[in-house]
Amino acid sequence: MISTAARYRNLILFCLPALAIYLAFSALPLVTSVGLSFFHTEGVGGARFVGFDNYVQLFTHPTYSARFWNAFGNNIRFFAIHLAVELPIGLLMAALLTSGVLRRSTGVYRTLLFIPTTLSVVITGFIWRLIINPLWGMVDYPLLGNATTALPTLSLMSVWQYVGIPMVFLYTALLSVPEDIVEAARLDGAVGWRLFWRIKFPLIAPMFGLIVILTYIWTFNGFDLVFALNGAAPGPNYSTDIFGTLFYRTFFGESGQLANPDVGAAVATVIFLIILVATAIYFLVVQFRLRSYEH
């Protein structure tokens, strides 16, 4: 028989490689980026500690400040469109897949609806560029060429690709609804959409909070689709510029903007803090509700 101490030792030895990989590829780059934001690395003197000067420059320099707040507003709209469109469509798909209407074709439809999520972002961008091209596509209006329609169009492209993720979460939640509760509701006369909204929907409501925070994290970390379609200077007039492209352009330099890794690190740190604060608030609310439920 293996002793308890030996089991813990084996568990620690098993987890050490995973911990080392995490520190090397996740924690270390994060700490390095935050540290870099407090230094000035350009010039002959090498790295020089400047405190919060990079953050002051980010929020007070006319160009940096304007670009930052523009990207912040675009990111909020990007997130809001995902939430307003992606979540209801995902819920509708999950409800149809578990309703029994599709019967034996459920597996086929589930696979077809999830396929866009598995596509490369470059392929997705190329497909949609062909579809909405004013010359030979299905739309005769330059949706990506107008500052008013560019961001909503790009957001809906992203929704089309990733709507399968909330669908899978909600589909799994609906499958876990106890069958005895459903049968009791049917005996009381609840059928169809009435059964769904009054019985199933309240039981899967906690899943919406998880989907909202995951969507928030993903959209505020967004970069790939915008970059694939418009590059690092999303136009027209930066109407599709979000935090990811702002960081890339500031850190590496692009489209006439000189690279400034120090301010770029400050941008990355601010993005991290924005995501961290929202995530912390979510988990604090969840913990508060769990404790209230326990008592």
Side-chain angles (χ1 to χ4, degrees):
M1 297 292 292
I2 301 176
S3 64
T4 304
R7 289 178 180 176
Y8 281 117
R9 185 178 65 252
N10 293 337
L11 179 62
I12 293 173
L13 292 174
F14 177 78
C15 294
L16 279 177
L19 179 61
I21 292 173
Y22 171 78
L23 291 175
F25 293 99
S26 181
L28 182 60
L30 174 62
V31 173
T32 304
S33 177
V34 174
L36 180 62
S37 68
F38 295 103
F39 285 84
H40 183 72
T41 57
E42 297 179 349
V44 182
R48 178 168 53 89
F49 182 77
V50 294
F52 290 94
D53 284 2
N54 292 320
Y55 295 93
V56 172
Q57 185 177 5
L58 174 63
F59 290 109
T60 59
H61 188 280
T63 302
Y64 285 136
S65 177
R67 294 286 178 263
F68 176 85
W69 292 114
N70 174 66
F72 182 64
N74 289 339
N75 245 126
I76 292 177
R77 287 190 287 273
F78 190 52
F79 166 66
I81 292 172
H82 272 78
L83 209 59
V85 180
E86 189 175 83
L87 198 54
I89 294 177
L91 178 62
L92 177 61
M93 290 177 176
L96 289 174
L97 289 173
T98 56
S99 64
V101 175
L102 303 177
R103 300 182 182 278
R104 296 181 180 180
S105 303
T106 300
V108 177
Y109 284 109
R110 187 172 63 240
T111 303
L112 291 175
L113 293 171
F114 194 76
I115 281 178
T117 308
T118 65
L119 295 178
S120 165
V121 176
V122 177
I123 293 175
T124 301
F126 179 75
I127 291 173
W128 278 106
R129 268 198 176 278
L130 292 178
I131 293 174
I132 66 173
N133 190 291
L135 296 178
W136 56 77
M138 299 175 62
V139 181
D140 59 357
Y141 182 81
L143 294 173
L144 292 177
N146 186 291
T148 305
T149 59
L151 184 62
T153 301
L154 191 143
S155 301
L156 293 176
M157 293 179 188
S158 181
V159 167
W160 173 83
Q161 182 172 16
Y162 293 109
V163 70
I165 295 177
M167 179 201 73
V168 169
F169 275 98
L170 294 170
Y171 176 77
T172 306
L174 285 171
L175 289 179
S176 65
V177 173
E179 191 62 31
D180 53 347
I181 296 178
V182 176
E183 289 299 326
R186 284 175 178 160
L187 291 175
D188 289 337
V191 293
W193 287 109
R194 183 182 177 188
L195 173 65
F196 176 78
W197 287 114
R198 295 194 176 184
I199 305 300
K200 293 184 178 181
F201 183 77
L203 293 174
I204 66 170
M207 181 62 69
F208 284 90
L210 178 61
I211 296 173
V212 169
I213 195 62
L214 289 176
T215 304
Y216 176 84
I217 294 171
W218 178 84
T219 52
F220 273 77
N221 275 319
F223 169 78
D224 42 12
L225 184 60
V226 182
F227 186 80
L229 285 168
N230 290 332
N237 195 25
Y238 296 95
S239 59
T240 56
D241 193 21
I242 57 176
F243 276 149
T245 51
L246 173 66
F247 161 74
Y248 180 91
R249 194 172 58 255
T250 306
F251 194 94
F252 296 104
E254 185 82 12
S255 302
Q257 181 175 331
L258 296 177
N260 191 330
D262 310 323
V263 178
V267 172
T269 304
V270 172
I271 297 171
F272 168 70
L273 291 176
I274 290 173
I275 296 173
L276 179 65
V277 168
T279 306
I281 292 173
Y282 166 75
F283 281 110
L284 285 174
V285 171
V286 169
Q287 283 296 115
F288 177 77
R289 296 194 64 177
L290 288 175
R291 289 178 182 176
S292 300
Y293 178 78
E294 289 174 357
H295 295 294

